[in-house]
PDB file of all heavy atoms in Angstrom:
ATOM      1  N   ALA A 457     -26.418   8.469  12.613  1.00  0.00           N
ATOM      2  CA  ALA A 457     -25.626   8.875  11.361  1.00  0.00           C
ATOM      3  C   ALA A 457     -24.747  10.162  11.668  1.00  0.00           C
ATOM      4  O   ALA A 457     -23.590  10.168  11.411  1.00  0.00           O
ATOM      5  CB  ALA A 457     -26.484   9.007  10.112  1.00  0.00           C
ATOM      6  N   ARG A 481     -30.517  15.103  -8.926  1.00  0.00           N
ATOM      7  CA  ARG A 481     -31.512  14.103  -8.407  1.00  0.00           C
ATOM      8  C   ARG A 481     -32.880  14.767  -8.183  1.00  0.00           C
ATOM      9  O   ARG A 481     -33.835  14.068  -7.952  1.00  0.00           O
ATOM     10  CB  ARG A 481     -30.996  13.528  -7.143  1.00  0.00           C
ATOM     11  CG  ARG A 481     -29.759  12.653  -7.306  1.00  0.00           C
ATOM     12  CD  ARG A 481     -29.156  12.308  -5.996  1.00  0.00           C
ATOM     13  NE  ARG A 481     -30.036  11.360  -5.301  1.00  0.00           N
ATOM     14  CZ  ARG A 481     -30.104  10.078  -5.446  1.00  0.00           C
ATOM     15  NH1 ARG A 481     -29.146   9.437  -6.294  1.00  0.00           N
ATOM     16  NH2 ARG A 481     -30.872   9.290  -4.766  1.00  0.00           N
ATOM     17  N   SER A 482     -32.960  16.088  -8.405  1.00  0.00           N
ATOM     18  CA  SER A 482     -34.247  16.796  -8.319  1.00  0.00           C
ATOM     19  C   SER A 482     -34.163  18.098  -8.965  1.00  0.00           C
ATOM     20  O   SER A 482     -33.104  18.635  -9.196  1.00  0.00           O
ATOM     21  CB  SER A 482     -34.683  16.882  -6.809  1.00  0.00           C
ATOM     22  OG  SER A 482     -33.869  17.870  -6.175  1.00  0.00           O
ATOM     23  N   GLY A 484     -36.438  21.784  -8.827  1.00  0.00           N
ATOM     24  CA  GLY A 484     -37.467  22.491  -8.118  1.00  0.00           C
ATOM     25  C   GLY A 484     -37.479  24.021  -8.315  1.00  0.00           C
ATOM     26  O   GLY A 484     -36.521  24.501  -8.933  1.00  0.00           O
ATOM     27  N   GLN A 486     -39.373  27.683  -6.415  1.00  0.00           N
ATOM     28  CA  GLN A 486     -40.203  28.198  -5.284  1.00  0.00           C
ATOM     29  C   GLN A 486     -40.382  29.646  -5.342  1.00  0.00           C
ATOM     30  O   GLN A 486     -39.655  30.295  -6.103  1.00  0.00           O
ATOM     31  CB  GLN A 486     -39.488  27.869  -3.967  1.00  0.00           C
ATOM     32  CG  GLN A 486     -38.100  28.480  -3.780  1.00  0.00           C
ATOM     33  CD  GLN A 486     -37.498  28.086  -2.499  1.00  0.00           C
ATOM     34  OE1 GLN A 486     -37.282  26.939  -2.261  1.00  0.00           O
ATOM     35  NE2 GLN A 486     -37.148  29.066  -1.630  1.00  0.00           N
ATOM     36  N   ARG A 513     -37.648  23.019 -17.387  1.00  0.00           N
ATOM     37  CA  ARG A 513     -36.261  22.684 -17.026  1.00  0.00           C
ATOM     38  C   ARG A 513     -35.949  21.197 -17.172  1.00  0.00           C
ATOM     39  O   ARG A 513     -34.913  20.686 -17.678  1.00  0.00           O
ATOM     40  CB  ARG A 513     -35.955  23.143 -15.663  1.00  0.00           C
ATOM     41  CG  ARG A 513     -35.630  24.701 -15.700  1.00  0.00           C
ATOM     42  CD  ARG A 513     -35.555  25.271 -14.349  1.00  0.00           C
ATOM     43  NE  ARG A 513     -34.612  24.652 -13.372  1.00  0.00           N
ATOM     44  CZ  ARG A 513     -34.722  24.709 -12.103  1.00  0.00           C
ATOM     45  NH1 ARG A 513     -35.640  25.499 -11.507  1.00  0.00           N
ATOM     46  NH2 ARG A 513     -33.811  23.967 -11.378  1.00  0.00           N
ATOM     47  N   TYR A 533     -42.956  30.786   9.770  1.00  0.00           N
ATOM     48  CA  TYR A 533     -41.689  30.265   9.189  1.00  0.00           C
ATOM     49  C   TYR A 533     -41.395  28.832   9.561  1.00  0.00           C
ATOM     50  O   TYR A 533     -40.311  28.264   9.316  1.00  0.00           O
ATOM     51  CB  TYR A 533     -40.482  31.153   9.513  1.00  0.00           C
ATOM     52  CG  TYR A 533     -40.375  32.375   8.674  1.00  0.00           C
ATOM     53  CD1 TYR A 533     -41.218  33.366   8.891  1.00  0.00           C
ATOM     54  CD2 TYR A 533     -39.677  32.341   7.558  1.00  0.00           C
ATOM     55  CE1 TYR A 533     -41.224  34.471   8.043  1.00  0.00           C
ATOM     56  CE2 TYR A 533     -39.663  33.452   6.630  1.00  0.00           C
ATOM     57  CZ  TYR A 533     -40.444  34.497   6.932  1.00  0.00           C
ATOM     58  OH  TYR A 533     -40.443  35.528   6.012  1.00  0.00           O
TER      59      TYR A 533
ATOM     60  P    DT B 161     -37.087  40.328   6.755  1.00  0.00           P
ATOM     61  OP1  DT B 161     -36.469  41.554   6.388  1.00  0.00           O
ATOM     62  OP2  DT B 161     -38.542  40.242   7.091  1.00  0.00           O
ATOM     63  O5'  DT B 161     -36.835  39.179   5.578  1.00  0.00           O
ATOM     64  C5'  DT B 161     -35.522  38.852   5.313  1.00  0.00           C
ATOM     65  C4'  DT B 161     -35.455  37.446   4.873  1.00  0.00           C
ATOM     66  O4'  DT B 161     -35.393  36.632   6.135  1.00  0.00           O
ATOM     67  C3'  DT B 161     -36.675  36.917   4.174  1.00  0.00           C
ATOM     68  O3'  DT B 161     -36.373  36.513   2.882  1.00  0.00           O
ATOM     69  C2'  DT B 161     -37.246  35.667   4.998  1.00  0.00           C
ATOM     70  C1'  DT B 161     -35.951  35.367   5.855  1.00  0.00           C
ATOM     71  N1   DT B 161     -36.318  34.744   7.125  1.00  0.00           N
ATOM     72  C2   DT B 161     -35.487  33.709   7.572  1.00  0.00           C
ATOM     73  O2   DT B 161     -34.445  33.343   6.952  1.00  0.00           O
ATOM     74  N3   DT B 161     -35.852  33.124   8.732  1.00  0.00           N
ATOM     75  C4   DT B 161     -36.934  33.533   9.431  1.00  0.00           C
ATOM     76  O4   DT B 161     -37.247  32.873  10.512  1.00  0.00           O
ATOM     77  C5   DT B 161     -37.798  34.526   9.013  1.00  0.00           C
ATOM     78  C7   DT B 161     -38.923  35.018   9.792  1.00  0.00           C
ATOM     79  C6   DT B 161     -37.373  35.104   7.777  1.00  0.00           C
ATOM     80  P    DG B 163     -37.638  33.758  -3.915  1.00  0.00           P
ATOM     81  OP1  DG B 163     -38.281  34.477  -4.980  1.00  0.00           O
ATOM     82  OP2  DG B 163     -38.473  33.127  -2.919  1.00  0.00           O
ATOM     83  O5'  DG B 163     -36.608  32.736  -4.473  1.00  0.00           O
ATOM     84  C5'  DG B 163     -35.616  33.180  -5.403  1.00  0.00           C
ATOM     85  C4'  DG B 163     -34.745  32.022  -5.733  1.00  0.00           C
ATOM     86  O4'  DG B 163     -33.918  31.724  -4.599  1.00  0.00           O
ATOM     87  C3'  DG B 163     -35.486  30.679  -5.978  1.00  0.00           C
ATOM     88  O3'  DG B 163     -35.026  30.132  -7.125  1.00  0.00           O
ATOM     89  C2'  DG B 163     -35.249  29.897  -4.672  1.00  0.00           C
ATOM     90  C1'  DG B 163     -33.834  30.382  -4.375  1.00  0.00           C
ATOM     91  N9   DG B 163     -33.434  30.115  -3.004  1.00  0.00           N
ATOM     92  C8   DG B 163     -34.237  30.199  -1.865  1.00  0.00           C
ATOM     93  N7   DG B 163     -33.542  29.937  -0.725  1.00  0.00           N
ATOM     94  C5   DG B 163     -32.319  29.562  -1.206  1.00  0.00           C
ATOM     95  C6   DG B 163     -31.154  29.181  -0.506  1.00  0.00           C
ATOM     96  O6   DG B 163     -31.021  29.044   0.678  1.00  0.00           O
ATOM     97  N1   DG B 163     -30.074  28.912  -1.325  1.00  0.00           N
ATOM     98  C2   DG B 163     -30.054  29.156  -2.651  1.00  0.00           C
ATOM     99  N2   DG B 163     -29.007  28.813  -3.379  1.00  0.00           N
ATOM    100  N3   DG B 163     -31.174  29.537  -3.373  1.00  0.00           N
ATOM    101  C4   DG B 163     -32.197  29.732  -2.583  1.00  0.00           C
ATOM    102  P    DG B 164     -35.710  28.936  -7.767  1.00  0.00           P
ATOM    103  OP1  DG B 164     -35.625  29.131  -9.268  1.00  0.00           O
ATOM    104  OP2  DG B 164     -37.090  28.604  -7.158  1.00  0.00           O
ATOM    105  O5'  DG B 164     -34.803  27.713  -7.443  1.00  0.00           O
ATOM    106  C5'  DG B 164     -33.595  27.565  -8.127  1.00  0.00           C
ATOM    107  C4'  DG B 164     -32.600  26.847  -7.410  1.00  0.00           C
ATOM    108  O4'  DG B 164     -32.440  27.196  -5.987  1.00  0.00           O
ATOM    109  C3'  DG B 164     -32.892  25.363  -7.247  1.00  0.00           C
ATOM    110  O3'  DG B 164     -32.530  24.635  -8.415  1.00  0.00           O
ATOM    111  C2'  DG B 164     -32.016  24.902  -6.052  1.00  0.00           C
ATOM    112  C1'  DG B 164     -31.737  26.235  -5.385  1.00  0.00           C
ATOM    113  N9   DG B 164     -31.991  26.210  -3.947  1.00  0.00           N
ATOM    114  C8   DG B 164     -33.133  26.489  -3.293  1.00  0.00           C
ATOM    115  N7   DG B 164     -33.126  26.385  -2.027  1.00  0.00           N
ATOM    116  C5   DG B 164     -31.811  25.918  -1.799  1.00  0.00           C
ATOM    117  C6   DG B 164     -31.121  25.611  -0.631  1.00  0.00           C
ATOM    118  O6   DG B 164     -31.605  25.665   0.556  1.00  0.00           O
ATOM    119  N1   DG B 164     -29.852  25.179  -0.784  1.00  0.00           N
ATOM    120  C2   DG B 164     -29.228  25.156  -2.102  1.00  0.00           C
ATOM    121  N2   DG B 164     -27.970  24.747  -2.117  1.00  0.00           N
ATOM    122  N3   DG B 164     -29.881  25.496  -3.188  1.00  0.00           N
ATOM    123  C4   DG B 164     -31.130  25.897  -3.007  1.00  0.00           C
ATOM    124  P    DG B 165     -32.860  23.060  -8.495  1.00  0.00           P
ATOM    125  OP1  DG B 165     -32.741  22.757  -9.949  1.00  0.00           O
ATOM    126  OP2  DG B 165     -34.068  22.658  -7.778  1.00  0.00           O
ATOM    127  O5'  DG B 165     -31.668  22.457  -7.746  1.00  0.00           O
ATOM    128  C5'  DG B 165     -31.853  21.189  -6.959  1.00  0.00           C
ATOM    129  C4'  DG B 165     -30.612  21.159  -6.068  1.00  0.00           C
ATOM    130  O4'  DG B 165     -30.716  22.241  -5.041  1.00  0.00           O
ATOM    131  C3'  DG B 165     -30.608  19.917  -5.309  1.00  0.00           C
ATOM    132  O3'  DG B 165     -29.867  18.864  -6.137  1.00  0.00           O
ATOM    133  C2'  DG B 165     -29.696  20.289  -4.118  1.00  0.00           C
ATOM    134  C1'  DG B 165     -30.009  21.743  -3.887  1.00  0.00           C
ATOM    135  N9   DG B 165     -30.952  21.968  -2.799  1.00  0.00           N
ATOM    136  C8   DG B 165     -32.221  22.377  -2.783  1.00  0.00           C
ATOM    137  N7   DG B 165     -32.675  22.494  -1.546  1.00  0.00           N
ATOM    138  C5   DG B 165     -31.767  22.100  -0.725  1.00  0.00           C
ATOM    139  C6   DG B 165     -31.685  22.033   0.627  1.00  0.00           C
ATOM    140  O6   DG B 165     -32.660  22.258   1.471  1.00  0.00           O
ATOM    141  N1   DG B 165     -30.489  21.561   1.148  1.00  0.00           N
ATOM    142  C2   DG B 165     -29.436  21.273   0.308  1.00  0.00           C
ATOM    143  N2   DG B 165     -28.243  20.883   0.923  1.00  0.00           N
ATOM    144  N3   DG B 165     -29.442  21.344  -1.014  1.00  0.00           N
ATOM    145  C4   DG B 165     -30.609  21.764  -1.411  1.00  0.00           C
ATOM    146  P    DT B 166     -30.065  17.370  -5.819  1.00  0.00           P
ATOM    147  OP1  DT B 166     -29.475  16.571  -6.802  1.00  0.00           O
ATOM    148  OP2  DT B 166     -31.488  17.150  -5.387  1.00  0.00           O
ATOM    149  O5'  DT B 166     -29.245  17.169  -4.434  1.00  0.00           O
ATOM    150  C5'  DT B 166     -27.765  17.242  -4.468  1.00  0.00           C
ATOM    151  C4'  DT B 166     -27.253  16.925  -3.096  1.00  0.00           C
ATOM    152  O4'  DT B 166     -27.849  17.834  -2.163  1.00  0.00           O
ATOM    153  C3'  DT B 166     -27.738  15.531  -2.668  1.00  0.00           C
ATOM    154  O3'  DT B 166     -26.714  14.578  -2.732  1.00  0.00           O
ATOM    155  C2'  DT B 166     -28.194  15.635  -1.267  1.00  0.00           C
ATOM    156  C1'  DT B 166     -28.229  17.117  -0.927  1.00  0.00           C
ATOM    157  N1   DT B 166     -29.527  17.538  -0.471  1.00  0.00           N
ATOM    158  C2   DT B 166     -29.662  17.710   0.903  1.00  0.00           C
ATOM    159  O2   DT B 166     -28.740  17.415   1.656  1.00  0.00           O
ATOM    160  N3   DT B 166     -30.800  18.139   1.322  1.00  0.00           N
ATOM    161  C4   DT B 166     -31.928  18.470   0.552  1.00  0.00           C
ATOM    162  O4   DT B 166     -33.029  18.761   1.027  1.00  0.00           O
ATOM    163  C5   DT B 166     -31.720  18.277  -0.888  1.00  0.00           C
ATOM    164  C7   DT B 166     -32.842  18.570  -1.859  1.00  0.00           C
ATOM    165  C6   DT B 166     -30.490  17.888  -1.324  1.00  0.00           C
ATOM    166  P    DC B 167     -27.204  12.953  -2.617  1.00  0.00           P
ATOM    167  OP1  DC B 167     -26.141  12.251  -3.212  1.00  0.00           O
ATOM    168  OP2  DC B 167     -28.588  12.817  -3.028  1.00  0.00           O
ATOM    169  O5'  DC B 167     -27.243  12.759  -1.048  1.00  0.00           O
ATOM    170  C5'  DC B 167     -26.110  13.090  -0.202  1.00  0.00           C
ATOM    171  C4'  DC B 167     -26.640  12.911   1.239  1.00  0.00           C
ATOM    172  O4'  DC B 167     -27.664  13.909   1.520  1.00  0.00           O
ATOM    173  C3'  DC B 167     -27.229  11.603   1.523  1.00  0.00           C
ATOM    174  O3'  DC B 167     -26.525  10.933   2.582  1.00  0.00           O
ATOM    175  C2'  DC B 167     -28.627  11.811   1.907  1.00  0.00           C
ATOM    176  C1'  DC B 167     -28.600  13.374   2.351  1.00  0.00           C
ATOM    177  N1   DC B 167     -29.922  14.011   2.059  1.00  0.00           N
ATOM    178  C2   DC B 167     -30.650  14.502   3.170  1.00  0.00           C
ATOM    179  O2   DC B 167     -30.115  14.453   4.301  1.00  0.00           O
ATOM    180  N3   DC B 167     -31.794  15.111   2.981  1.00  0.00           N
ATOM    181  C4   DC B 167     -32.327  15.072   1.756  1.00  0.00           C
ATOM    182  N4   DC B 167     -33.560  15.677   1.631  1.00  0.00           N
ATOM    183  C5   DC B 167     -31.699  14.589   0.630  1.00  0.00           C
ATOM    184  C6   DC B 167     -30.439  14.010   0.800  1.00  0.00           C
ATOM    185  P    DT B 169     -29.336   7.452   8.843  1.00  0.00           P
ATOM    186  OP1  DT B 169     -28.468   7.167   9.958  1.00  0.00           O
ATOM    187  OP2  DT B 169     -29.572   6.459   7.722  1.00  0.00           O
ATOM    188  O5'  DT B 169     -30.798   7.848   9.377  1.00  0.00           O
ATOM    189  C5'  DT B 169     -30.884   8.983  10.244  1.00  0.00           C
ATOM    190  C4'  DT B 169     -32.391   9.148  10.650  1.00  0.00           C
ATOM    191  O4'  DT B 169     -33.204   9.624   9.710  1.00  0.00           O
ATOM    192  C3'  DT B 169     -32.932   7.641  10.990  1.00  0.00           C
ATOM    193  O3'  DT B 169     -33.637   7.772  12.257  1.00  0.00           O
ATOM    194  C2'  DT B 169     -33.966   7.438   9.858  1.00  0.00           C
ATOM    195  C1'  DT B 169     -34.290   8.860   9.422  1.00  0.00           C
ATOM    196  N1   DT B 169     -34.751   8.962   7.994  1.00  0.00           N
ATOM    197  C2   DT B 169     -35.884   9.647   7.728  1.00  0.00           C
ATOM    198  O2   DT B 169     -36.537  10.203   8.522  1.00  0.00           O
ATOM    199  N3   DT B 169     -36.172   9.757   6.366  1.00  0.00           N
ATOM    200  C4   DT B 169     -35.398   9.258   5.316  1.00  0.00           C
ATOM    201  O4   DT B 169     -35.760   9.280   4.167  1.00  0.00           O
ATOM    202  C5   DT B 169     -34.229   8.518   5.737  1.00  0.00           C
ATOM    203  C7   DT B 169     -33.326   7.858   4.716  1.00  0.00           C
ATOM    204  C6   DT B 169     -33.886   8.492   7.060  1.00  0.00           C
TER     205       DT B 169
END
Side-chain angles (χ1 to χ4, degrees):
Chain A
R481 299 172 64 89
S482 67
Q486 58 183 59
R513 282 166 52 199
Y533 280 80

